[in-house]
């Protein structure tokens, strides 16, 4: 069982690395499963055993990145919204190449979906709580998306400060 799981992990890593490499050269829709599996040196069966579509590879990678960030944030003992945002913007800076690639390839909506899942409204929330969560998750995504679109000119610390002082920066 252990050997099979390790093999599967290797296959997934090869597929992920290959897809990210191919995305540097062409759009996701221009990458065929055959291109991907050939580059990864795995079979089509291996791809379809693990994923339904190419986007699933990116979603899994994105979830792993965000999960890793969140565990680091929790281990840091941060408790305030400012610490959370600072840590999150630091994560984006640290993984800049991946997120810029998503942005350049018009795949940034994958991040929006994840942020909505993490910070957005849940069915069990009362109406007002759901509206606040929607405002926060979509607003945060808007800040991140615009930051990337503008070439991430500000540091993660500057972005945190700008967001913290957003009401003061309306000039």
């Amino acid at each position: 069982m252990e050997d099979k799981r390790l093999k599967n992990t290797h296959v997934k890593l090869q597929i992920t690395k290959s897809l990210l490499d191919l995305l540097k050269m062409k759009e996701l829709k221009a990458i065929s499963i055959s291109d991907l599996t050939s580059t990864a040196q795995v079979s089509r069966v291996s791809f379809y055993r693990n994923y339904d579509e190419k986007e699933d590879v990116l979603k899994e990678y994105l979830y792993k990145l965000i999960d890793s960030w969140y565990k680091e944030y929790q281990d840091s003992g941060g408790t305030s919204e400012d610490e959370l945002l600072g840590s999150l913007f630091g994560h984006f800076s640290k993984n800049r190449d991946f997120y810029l690639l998503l942005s350049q390839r018009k795949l940034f909506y994958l991040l929006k979906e994840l942020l909505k899942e993490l910070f957005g409204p849940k069915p069990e929330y009362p109406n007002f709580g759901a509206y606040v969560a929607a405002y926060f998750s979509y607003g945060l995504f808007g800040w991140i998306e615009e930051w990337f679109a503008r070439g991430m000119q500000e540091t993660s610390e500057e972005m945190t400060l700008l967001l913290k002082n957003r009401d003061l920066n309306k000039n």
Side-chain angles (χ1 to χ4, degrees), residues 23-64:
L23 272 175
K24 292 174 186 171
M25 297 179 277
K26 51 187 168 180
E27 300 288 329
L28 184 64
K29 63 184 173 200
I31 300 170
S32 69
I33 299 298
S34 295
D35 290 340
L36 179 54
T37 56
S38 173
T39 302
Q41 298 181 337
V42 300
S43 70
R44 288 175 65 85
V45 171
S46 293
F47 177 85
Y48 286 112
R49 183 181 315 123
N50 292 288
Y51 305 104
D52 292 326
E53 58 188 17
K54 296 172 286 188
E55 281 184 349
D56 292 341
V57 177
L58 296 171
K59 286 177 186 177
E60 181 178 82
Y61 185 69
L62 181 58
Y63 276 68
K64 283 181 182 177

Side-chain angles (χ1 to χ4, degrees), residues 62 65-66 69 85-100 102 108 111 114-115 119 140-141 143-145 147-148 152 156:
L62 181 58
L65 282 178
I66 293 293
W69 157 75
L85 293 172
S87 176
L88 185 57
F89 280 109
H91 163 79
F92 290 127
S93 289
K94 179 178 163 187
N95 297 283
R96 165 189 199 112
D97 292 342
F98 170 69
Y99 289 108
L100 280 172
L102 284 185
F108 224 51
L111 177 61
L114 180 57
L115 290 175
F119 302 117
L140 179 59
F141 174 74
W143 276 75
I144 295 164
E145 183 179 41
W147 183 42
F148 275 88
M152 298 176 70
S156 56

Side-chain angles (χ1 to χ4, degrees), residues 117-133:
E117 185 178 313
L118 291 174
F119 302 117
K122 310 286 185 273
E124 65 273 13
Y125 287 5
N127 286 355
F128 183 73
Y131 302 146
V132 169

